[in-house]
Amino acid sequence: MTLDDVRQRLRDARRVTALTGAGVSAASGIPTFRGADGLWRNFRAETLATPGAFAKDPRLVWEWYEWRRQLIAAAKPNPAHELLARWTRERAGFTLITQNVDGLHERAGADRLVRLHGSIWHVRCWNRCGAGDRDWRDDRLPLPSLPPPCPHCGGLLRPGVVWFGESLDPDVVSAATAATACDVFLTIGTSAVVYPAAGLVHEAKRRGAFTVEINTETTEASSAVDVALRGKAEEVLAQLARSADSEV
Ligand code: APR
């Protein structure tokens, strides 16, 4: 199976779904979670992105999110973001699902996006006070204080992201699962270890989709997909789009 075969599949496909992970933002200078650059002050994401870590030391957790917000604000969407965003606008039957909370897909102009893990630019009240229980956008940089107070109850604000041990929004999960009913399913720049996101490619395959992985390395999903394209998302997608687009 070659790049040409995948291009052909993309050309013939009516419904295409792409799932993205941190690898898609690597070319924008955003560290991945489990790559060599994934540590912050020697902390792994798994130890900071939990309700327990926040309860124990909300300032430390916010310092990590503030560091990432600063990085992301200074970053720009890269060609992978731009191509996928263009497909959301121009390609009927294309669904973009992301695990990323950085907002770079949106900044690239993606007009339909299934965001599995929330957004680093959203906050909500840790105490779940009435007014503060639903996420709202807060892109103040820097935040006036860490941890920032809830404007409704004076308690703590927490990032509007899904932490380990927390469940995803059921509406978002069902939108993502519905999108596995497709002709081609692309899994791009994810290590495929965090569920339920990592289960989507297997569900797509079970439903008869042609499954393609784009990653610089082997992942947990590599042995399950029809084709594993080794390379950088921003380069491989550009190669795939070259002719696929001209036929769309
Ligand atoms: N192009 C393609 N793939 C890349 C690139 C690139 N330029 N750079 C890195 N990668 C790959 C790595 O080989 C790795 O397999 O991207 C993957 C990134 O994996 P993780 O760091 O584990 O990120 P991700 O899979 O998105 O993590 C899933 O875990 O920490 C939680 O909630 C967080 O959404 C995140 C989830």
Side-chain angles (χ1 to χ4, degrees):
M1 284 279 183
T2 65
L3 209 65
D4 270 343
D5 299 315
V6 178
R7 276 197 198 116
Q8 187 62 43
R9 293 273 181 162
L10 283 169
R11 245 197 309 268
D12 303 342
R14 244 171 4 88
R15 295 161 303 162
V16 176
T17 298
L19 169 71
T20 65
V24 166
S25 294
S28 297
I30 312 299
T32 63
F33 292 98
R34 293 170 191 82
D37 57 354
L39 291 182
W40 175 76
R41 292 190 197 166
N42 290 328
F43 287 101
R44 293 167 50 84
E46 284 85 343
T47 53
L48 289 169
T50 69
F54 190 82
K56 188 161 152 268
D57 191 343
R59 182 183 172 81
L60 175 69
V61 172
W62 262 115
E63 282 173 355
W64 180 50
Y65 280 100
E66 180 76 347
W67 173 74
R68 291 175 58 207
R69 284 161 62 106
Q70 299 270 6
L71 265 181
I72 294 164
K76 289 198 172 28
N78 65 62
H81 295 116
E82 276 141 20
L83 175 77
L84 293 166
R86 187 155 56 78
W87 280 359
T88 66
R89 297 190 304 267
E90 298 174 2
R91 202 184 163 121
F94 178 69
T95 304
L96 181 57
I97 307 169
T98 191
Q99 299 170 84
N100 300 348
V101 297
D102 57 29
L104 291 175
H105 283 304
E106 295 93 324
R107 280 171 55 194
D111 69 358
R112 277 168 298 110
L113 182 63
V114 179
R115 251 198 328 237
L116 292 173
H117 297 160
S119 168
I120 202 168
W121 299 109
H122 284 195
V123 297
R124 69 173 174 275
C125 178
W126 171 242
N127 299 334
R128 309 184 76 99
C129 72
D133 197 19
R134 291 199 61 73
D135 280 22
W136 68 90
R137 189 172 173 88
D138 184 341
D139 47 20
R140 292 173 295 171
L141 211 59
L143 285 162
S145 64
L146 296 180
C150 171
H152 306 291
C153 72
L156 298 181
L157 284 182
R158 58 157 288 170
V161 300
V162 179
W163 281 334
F164 290 97
E166 293 187 317
S167 43
L168 280 63
D169 175 336
D171 296 338
V172 169
V173 174
S174 50
T177 308
T180 60
C182 58
D183 305 305
V184 177
F185 187 97
L186 305 165
T187 175
I188 313 170
T190 179
S191 57
V193 295
V194 174
Y195 285 76
L200 295 171
V201 66
H202 303 288
E203 180 62 15
K205 192 167 175 69
R206 198 183 63 73
R207 293 185 180 203
F210 181 74
T211 53
V212 180
E213 178 182 65
I214 301 174
N215 199 301
T216 48
E217 293 168 15
T218 303
T219 77
E220 299 288 316
S222 302
S223 56
V225 295
D226 296 292
V227 181
L229 300 174
R230 277 292 148 262
K232 294 181 172 171
E234 60 276 15
E235 292 165 6
V236 175
L237 281 170
Q239 291 163 353
L240 278 179
R242 233 186 306 283
S243 63
D245 268 2
S246 55
E247 308 291 334
V248 171

